[in-house]
Amino acid sequence: MRFEGKQRYTYSLNELSTATLSMFVDWCSDEVTSGKGRKRAEGTLSDNSVAKYIHTIKAVANYYGVKVDYSKTEQYKTTPYYLNVSEVKQIETLQIDDVVTAIYRDYFVLQCKSGLRVGDLARLTRQNIVIQGDNVCLINNSHKTNTTTSVPLAPRERLDEVIAYIERLTAYRGFCLDTYNHKIRELIKLANIDRAVVIKHGRRAEYKQLSDVATSHMARRTFVGNLYERGVDRAVITSMSGHVRDSKSLNRYFAVSESQKAQA
């Protein structure tokens, strides 16, 4: 399927966890599909269409005796969850001896700070780093949407530091999406981010540990959600995330906080 092609990974039925299907639904929300020579708008797959995909996947899994505990409603009715700035910092400053885990940590932190889709993250090169004004910026032409984004990463005097960071990541040739998702959950545990999130299954809600449901797409939500909480204009956010300006799927990336309500 196109999802597996974008992820460059083929899933077995035994890997159809809640986290994997959540990532698939996120992908459907962002997907730009083509039909009869014209491009459809971002996120035009309806909730019903996504639900049919999930139903089919679950039916096939059930036929082969694999139970998949997932409801389409948990993605659309669950309050978006992501890491706050201090939690990202906790992960960024972890002392990690294992080289591979440290590489995946650096990928994750960069994704949280740039909002890149995981497919673009894996294709980064030194050429994506440029100077724009007073900032070192990450320029990316999205493989999925063919849109170009620019995200400031650091002041221009830190150019060499940023280049060294990127070159350390790109020198690693073993990037694997499935391993990345496992490492993200491992990093959350290592950072002692012991937080539960609400997952809804229809009218039934349950609490799950963030470390059990986190995926690479949460990094993208982290980028968008923290910008939104800072009061950054929606147009600025979409220019950096690569969403179209009136994208409905963007609303699934953040939630209105109590402090924002109090300031209203």
Side-chain angles (χ1 to χ4, degrees):
M1 69 170 57
R2 292 199 309 274
F3 170 68
E4 290 180 317
K6 294 291 186 182
Q7 308 301 331
R8 296 183 178 180
Y9 184 81
T10 300
Y11 290 91
S12 67
L13 286 176
N14 291 326
E15 292 176 301
L16 295 182
S17 63
T18 297
T20 302
L21 290 180
S22 292
M23 187 165 59
F24 171 68
V25 172
D26 282 332
W27 177 82
C28 289
S29 300
D30 280 345
E31 175 67 337
V32 176
T33 56
S34 300
K36 297 183 179 180
R38 60 188 177 84
K39 287 220 169 180
R40 297 171 61 193
E42 181 183 0
T44 53
L45 283 176
S46 68
D47 288 3
N48 286 337
S49 295
V50 177
K52 288 178 182 178
Y53 285 137
I54 294 295
H55 177 77
T56 300
I57 292 171
K58 290 174 67 175
V60 172
N62 185 63
Y63 178 81
Y64 287 99
V66 178
K67 182 180 178 182
V68 180
D69 183 20
Y70 184 88
S71 168
K72 172 275 264 195
T73 56
E74 72 179 50
Q75 188 70 6
Y76 294 116
K77 294 185 179 180
T78 298
T79 300
Y81 51 84
Y82 49 85
L83 300 178
N84 59 41
V85 174
S86 63
E87 288 171 333
V88 174
K89 193 67 175 178
Q90 282 176 248
I91 292 175
E92 184 177 12
T93 56
L94 279 173
Q95 296 299 314
I96 299 174
D97 295 327
D98 181 70
V99 174
V100 173
T101 301
I103 288 291
Y104 278 108
R105 183 271 307 278
D106 292 345
Y107 265 119
F108 181 63
V109 171
L110 179 62
Q111 193 181 11
C112 287
K113 292 184 176 183
S114 66
L116 288 178
R117 293 179 173 90
V118 69
D120 296 320
L121 183 73
R123 281 185 287 270
L124 276 182
T125 71
R126 159 68 181 85
Q127 304 308 313
N128 291 98
I129 304 301
V130 301
I131 290 289
Q132 289 188 332
D134 294 329
N135 296 307
V136 180
C137 295
L138 191 157
I139 303 295
N140 178 63
N141 185 264
S142 175
H143 182 74
K144 175 184 270 189
T145 63
N146 197 33
T147 56
T148 300
T149 58
S150 173
V151 178
L153 294 180
R156 65 181 298 152
E157 56 267 22
R158 293 178 59 191
L159 175 63
D160 291 343
E161 177 185 339
V162 174
I163 289 175
Y165 189 101
I166 298 299
E167 288 181 340
R168 184 170 68 255
L169 296 183
T170 56
Y172 178 70
R173 301 297 183 183
F175 187 91
C176 167
L177 177 61
D178 193 51
T179 302
Y180 185 36
N181 284 323
H182 283 294
K183 289 294 184 182
I184 289 170
R185 295 190 278 274
E186 179 184 333
L187 288 166
I188 291 172
K189 291 178 181 177
L190 287 173
N192 294 316
I193 300 173
D194 187 19
R195 174 155 63 89
V197 294
V198 179
I199 302 294
K200 292 186 178 180
H201 302 273
R203 295 181 179 180
R204 179 172 61 88
E206 64 175 321
Y207 285 94
K208 291 188 177 181
Q209 289 300 117
L210 184 62
S211 57
D212 292 332
V213 296
T215 67
S216 60
H217 199 78
M218 187 185 70
R220 191 159 155 76
R221 287 199 301 271
T222 295
F223 176 74
V224 171
N226 285 315
L227 288 176
Y228 179 81
E229 286 192 17
R230 283 169 45 196
V232 176
D233 185 83
R234 186 185 181 97
V236 176
I237 294 175
T238 56
S239 73
M240 292 192 287
S241 69
H243 289 90
V244 294
R245 184 169 299 189
D246 58 350
S247 171
K248 293 181 179 179
S249 67
L250 188 68
N251 295 332
R252 300 181 187 131
Y253 283 66
F254 56 79
V256 178
S257 67
E258 293 303 319
S259 61
Q260 288 172 312
K261 292 178 184 179
Q263 292 171 10

